[in-house]
Amino acid sequence: MPGKRVLCCYGIDIDAVSGWLNTRDGSPANPTDVSRGIFGATVGIDRLLKLWDKYNIKATWFAPAHSVESFPSQIKKIIDKGHEIGLHGYTHELVSTLSEEQQRDVLAKSIKVLTEVTGKKPRGWTAPAWSTSNETVKLLEEFGICQLLKRPNSAQEYDHSFMHHDSQPYFLPAPHLTPLAPTNTARAASTWMTPMAPLQSSSVVEVPANWHLDDWPPFQLSLTQASTHGYVDTASVERLWKDQFTYLYRECPEDGSFVFPISVHPQVSGKPQVVLLHERFIEWINDHVGVEWCTMEKVVDEFKAGRIGGVSVEGGVDV
């Protein structure tokens, strides 16, 4: 009788310098912030690679193409260790601020850069800052990695940006197929009082994102990002992560499964106190029966093959 399966993943965003280039407003980068990105691309990556080696973990590294081109020797270390490399924009530009043409250009350039460095087309994508657009899913399908790789039954192929669920993979609903009436108080209320249209699934698999399993908001001090803190006690975050896992593990049937994707950044999780948090958390997780550490592409393979469960995301009505 098979027991429950828990697929735990680390998604590492190698934002490095690209995350400090102020891609929202184009203002000059602060050199001190740039130095923090360099720390992440060098010291941070090295510390995390050592951590994953210690626990025999293969992870998914989402790399802006700017980071790949700027720190090629560091990216080579990741590839040589057998980790997965996924797409994360070019200069960590917020997708929600780009035109459709700009989004398409960034995808094309990023795919080209990562393919040349890794020797294979990337299968996954995560939006910088998880800031997506109505065109996101349409463009992921348009740039389908399945067509580039000629892989049967695959899309471009998965995303890690949306939050329809927190612990189950699913086929991602396409925003461009689900019209929403914006609340425009300059117009009559009757023009916006209408329900959401039915969700329509795409061919893109979602490995769900979760702000409460992300190291950036609690641990990264930024004077220009109101959502960051920087001085949260690691014990508080450790308890938050453990509580999420404890609930999901308790509620998972003995023949069921769930996924537990954690999102981290080398310039954050490469700090000594956060490395120690990860060591404690990994060892605690490993005390649970059925736990497997894997890449996100492994989650997608298991989901598509029917070896782990998932959910169907539903919502909206015909009007």
Side-chain angles (χ1 to χ4, degrees):
M1 184 75 176
K4 67 179 69 177
R5 293 186 69 194
V6 185
L7 300 188
C8 297
C9 317
Y10 272 108
I12 305 102
D13 294 350
I14 318 173
D15 299 346
V17 172
S18 74
W20 297 110
L21 292 180
N22 301 321
T23 51
R24 182 179 298 189
D25 60 14
S27 58
N30 182 292
T32 298
D33 285 339
V34 170
S35 75
R36 299 165 78 181
I38 295 171
F39 169 91
T42 55
V43 178
I45 284 178
D46 288 347
R47 288 177 178 171
L48 289 183
L49 285 174
K50 183 178 179 180
L51 178 68
W52 308 148
D53 279 350
K54 178 178 180 178
Y55 294 103
N56 194 29
I57 289 174
K58 297 303 180 189
T60 299
W61 300 69
F62 292 107
H66 182 277
S67 300
V68 175
E69 292 188 314
S70 300
F71 300 93
S73 63
Q74 290 298 93
I75 302 302
K76 186 177 186 301
K77 290 180 185 178
I78 297 169
I79 296 168
D80 289 346
K81 292 285 188 180
H83 297 282
E84 177 190 8
I85 303 288
L87 296 161
H88 196 39
Y90 187 83
T91 50
H92 204 265
E93 50 282 300
L94 300 189
V95 174
S96 59
T97 67
L98 304 181
S99 68
E100 184 171 336
E101 180 181 5
Q102 288 173 318
Q103 294 175 62
R104 188 174 281 109
D105 289 346
V106 168
L107 267 174
K109 172 73 171 183
S110 301
I111 290 172
K112 181 177 184 293
V113 169
L114 267 63
T115 300
E116 290 175 349
V117 169
T118 65
K120 60 182 180 180
K121 303 296 192 299
R123 296 175 64 184
W125 179 83
T126 188
W130 291 335
S131 173
T132 58
S133 72
N134 281 335
E135 298 82 30
T136 289
V137 177
K138 179 179 72 171
L139 291 177
L140 291 179
E141 290 188 311
E142 178 182 318
F143 281 85
I145 298 301
C146 59
Q147 297 169 3
L148 296 169
L149 285 173
K150 296 182 170 44
R151 295 174 57 89
N153 302 319
S154 61
Q156 143 97 59
E157 188 165 3
Y158 74 86
D159 169 72
H160 175 60
S161 312
F162 288 85
M163 305 178 184
H164 301 84
H165 205 281
D166 60 0
S167 53
Q168 293 290 341
Y170 56 92
F171 284 102
L172 185 58
H176 69 287
L177 299 178
T178 307
L180 294 171
T183 302
N184 184 350
T185 56
R187 302 177 59 189
S190 59
T191 64
W192 77 72
M193 293 192 296
T194 181
M196 181 177 70
L199 297 176
Q200 298 187 48
S201 292
S202 69
S203 58
V204 179
V205 175
E206 182 65 23
V207 179
N210 184 345
W211 278 116
H212 292 100
L213 289 174
D214 190 299
D215 66 350
W216 189 276
F219 294 139
Q220 181 66 293
L221 176 67
S222 174
L223 300 179
T224 61
Q225 297 177 358
S227 62
T228 64
H229 190 290
Y231 289 97
V232 173
D233 185 357
T234 56
S236 297
V237 174
E238 183 177 348
R239 184 171 63 251
L240 174 65
W241 290 3
K242 286 181 176 179
D243 282 350
Q244 292 177 78
F245 186 92
T246 296
Y247 174 85
L248 295 170
Y249 194 84
R250 186 191 74 187
E251 298 297 312
C252 181
E254 284 305 314
D255 60 349
S257 62
F258 68 92
V259 299
F260 199 77
I262 307 165
S263 297
V264 302
H265 304 74
Q267 59 192 287
V268 180
S269 282
K271 293 293 187 178
Q273 73 276 17
V274 190
V275 172
L276 292 177
L277 160 62
H278 288 298
E279 289 182 347
R280 295 191 302 270
F281 188 67
I282 291 168
E283 290 173 7
W284 179 83
I285 286 273
N286 287 345
D287 284 337
H288 295 76
V289 175
V291 164
E292 307 169 33
W293 291 96
C294 66
T295 61
M296 292 191 187
E297 65 179 348
K298 173 69 178 299
V299 170
V300 173
D301 288 341
E302 295 295 282
F303 172 63
K304 285 190 168 185
R307 291 188 290 267
I308 62 170
V311 293
S312 296
V313 178
E314 299 178 354
V317 295
D318 289 311
V319 292

